Amino acid sequence: MEASCKPADDRNVLLAAPDAWQADIRAGVRHVRDLASLPLSAAERAVMQEAATAHKVRVPKPYLDLIDWSDPNDPIRAQVIPSPGELVATDGELDDPIGDHAFSPVPRLTHRHADRVLLFATYQCAVYCRFCFRKESLTSIGRGYTSEALEPALVYIAGYPEIREVILTGGDPLSLPDKALAEIRARLEAIPHLRLLRIHTRVPVALPSRVTSGLVEALQGRLMVTVVTHFNHPRELTAEAEAACRTMRQAGFVLLNQSVLLKGVNDKVEVLEELCRELMYRLGVKPYYLHHGDLARGMAHRRTTIAQGQALVAELRRRLSGICNPTYVIDLPDGGGKVPLAASHIEGRDGETWRIRGQDGKARSYSEVVADC
């Protein structure tokens, strides 16, 4: 994996042509029938066919090119190429594993927390990840963007002055054309109590050519813009992804990353260490969340245990600067939100004296000193 850490040879990589991203989509896998063009055996195609039919398949060429087809356990392949394990439903798995629907007062909007909402600009993606917790909705709904479809959600947001932040999600909002993004941004800017526009996207990872000057211009305006990327493995940190992130940083966007802990993909401390360090040091993207695998149907083969995740993040804290460490969280199935899962360092308390375990594993006494006021 050493090669993945090398910076781009040309630090002034030019933005891709405005329509290059559409060509990258066309040259990749867009339909189940496109799987026939991949270097897979007949037996491999046969076992993946049902899963590919059950849930959408799309992989842009830049991401497809990262796969090592000689390795059946390749971590890039595991994220986007269908597998029979997806069809094995396990008791306790859910169609709506984080409670989106229960907190949806109007179509295309989820209002789970008082000061922010999810706005589903589209239900389509540039790449369909096999582990996606919304895969059931993306497969069954399959609708793109129209201004009419978002109108009830925009009216709702305007009616709740406590909402400060809108999170564009879906689907992948950056799979929309510049014109649509500019229209959404302008509508949100016209709501005076909004302060921040957050965008959750896999585009810089799987389709970096989509990050053009037109896209940047479409998103710039009154609102602070935060882009939350979704890198899961160091091999995704390509020169093109680096250039895309640099472009967004130079535009003034705040860049964060959320990863999903996936068995067979990134459940080794060495992999997470390299990913988190290079995200921050090379791409200028702050590791934000490491998600415990949600209870999406057919994903038991990719979930780790919570204890395994806790051990991984404890070791990461020993190895990495604090700015490189993500928070390990679980998104509660009933809509209770993201809750940190890191093992507690508090071992006990006697009055004002606490027993706190350091990163070296040793417990120490800490006595509080607080002035009486």
Side-chain angles (χ1 to χ4, degrees):
M1 290 187 289
E2 291 181 359
S4 69
C5 292
K6 292 180 180 178
D9 293 331
D10 180 3
R11 301 301 295 181
N12 296 310
V13 176
L14 295 176
L15 289 174
D19 59 351
W21 64 281
Q22 295 165 327
D24 282 340
I25 289 177
R26 289 192 297 269
V29 169
R30 293 189 291 164
H31 307 284
V32 174
R33 61 179 178 270
D34 294 334
L35 295 172
S37 66
L38 302 181
L40 300 167
S41 67
E44 287 174 316
R45 289 197 190 94
V47 298
M48 73 168 60
Q49 189 66 29
E50 190 175 354
T53 303
H55 299 291
K56 286 184 178 180
V57 177
R58 178 176 290 171
V59 192
K61 190 174 189 303
Y63 199 75
L64 204 61
D65 288 345
L66 298 180
I67 297 175
D68 177 1
W69 294 104
S70 67
D71 179 7
N73 298 312
D74 179 78
I76 308 301
R77 171 177 171 166
Q79 295 183 63
V80 292
I81 301 300
S83 72
E86 297 172 42
L87 299 173
V88 181
T90 304
D91 288 345
E93 293 182 328
L94 304 167
D95 289 337
D96 182 19
I98 69 167
D100 278 341
H101 303 328
F103 292 84
S104 180
V106 296
R108 295 194 178 229
L109 183 137
T110 293
H111 193 181
R112 189 179 290 113
H113 306 288
D115 67 341
R116 57 201 183 275
V117 296
L118 299 175
L119 181 61
F120 296 85
T122 178
Y123 289 99
Q124 298 176 350
C125 289
V127 58
Y128 289 108
C129 302
R130 310 314 298 178
F131 55 86
C132 180
F133 65 90
R134 291 195 180 111
K135 64 193 300 182
E136 302 287 346
S137 294
L138 300 183
T139 293
S140 62
I141 299 174
R143 294 191 297 269
Y145 164 79
T146 66
S147 57
E148 293 79 13
L150 286 191
E151 191 61 30
L154 294 168
V155 170
Y156 179 93
I157 293 168
Y160 285 80
E162 64 268 33
I163 298 173
R164 296 287 184 267
E165 178 177 342
V166 171
I167 302 164
L168 283 189
T169 185
D172 193 320
L174 295 193
S175 67
L176 294 174
D178 297 341
K179 182 179 179 181
L181 290 170
E183 184 176 75
I184 295 168
R185 188 258 306 155
R187 288 297 309 274
L188 294 173
E189 281 186 342
I191 301 174
H193 53 260
L194 293 183
R195 303 288 300 281
L196 187 143
L197 174 62
R198 196 198 316 177
I199 297 162
H200 286 192
T201 179
R202 191 92 153 110
V203 155
V205 184
L207 189 62
S209 56
R210 174 66 188 98
V211 181
T212 63
S213 58
L215 180 141
V216 166
E217 184 178 348
L219 298 174
Q220 286 179 315
R222 175 181 70 82
L223 300 174
M224 177 66 72
V225 176
T226 296
V227 177
V228 182
T229 62
H230 186 171
F231 292 88
N232 285 326
H233 194 277
R235 280 194 15 226
E236 296 171 338
L237 307 179
T238 63
E240 292 76 17
E242 180 182 355
C245 290
R246 187 184 316 117
T247 296
M248 292 187 290
R249 289 202 325 271
Q250 291 172 346
F253 302 164
V254 176
L255 300 188
L256 306 173
N257 185 73
Q258 53 184 358
S259 302
V260 178
L261 183 57
L262 297 167
K263 185 187 295 184
V265 174
N266 58 10
D267 58 336
K268 304 294 183 186
V269 68
E270 295 81 8
V271 173
L272 286 174
E273 178 185 9
E274 182 180 357
L275 173 65
C276 293
R277 179 178 285 120
E278 296 306 314
L279 276 169
M280 190 70 247
Y281 290 177
R282 178 181 159 198
L283 271 65
V285 179
K286 168 71 178 84
Y288 175 45
Y289 283 142
L290 175 64
H291 286 266
H292 184 71
D294 293 305
L295 294 175
R297 291 195 189 280
M299 289 314 301
H301 65 296
R302 290 291 173 211
R303 276 192 295 272
T304 69
T305 66
I306 290 175
Q308 287 171 327
Q310 289 177 324
L312 284 169
V313 295
E315 182 60 25
L316 281 181
R317 290 202 64 81
R318 283 188 279 271
R319 296 183 180 210
L320 292 172
S321 161
I323 200 170
C324 297
N325 270 283
T327 300
Y328 181 40
V329 295
I330 187 168
D331 218 328
L332 293 175
D334 63 355
K338 297 177 179 65
V339 178
L341 285 173
S344 174
H345 284 255
I346 306 298
E347 295 201 344
R349 176 186 180 184
D350 182 7
E352 283 74 44
T353 299
W354 298 75
R355 291 285 291 172
I356 303 175
R357 181 166 33 85
Q359 293 189 22
D360 58 3
K362 297 178 181 178
R364 297 168 173 82
S365 294
Y366 174 87
S367 296
E368 293 184 281
V369 179
V370 180
D372 293 328
C373 297

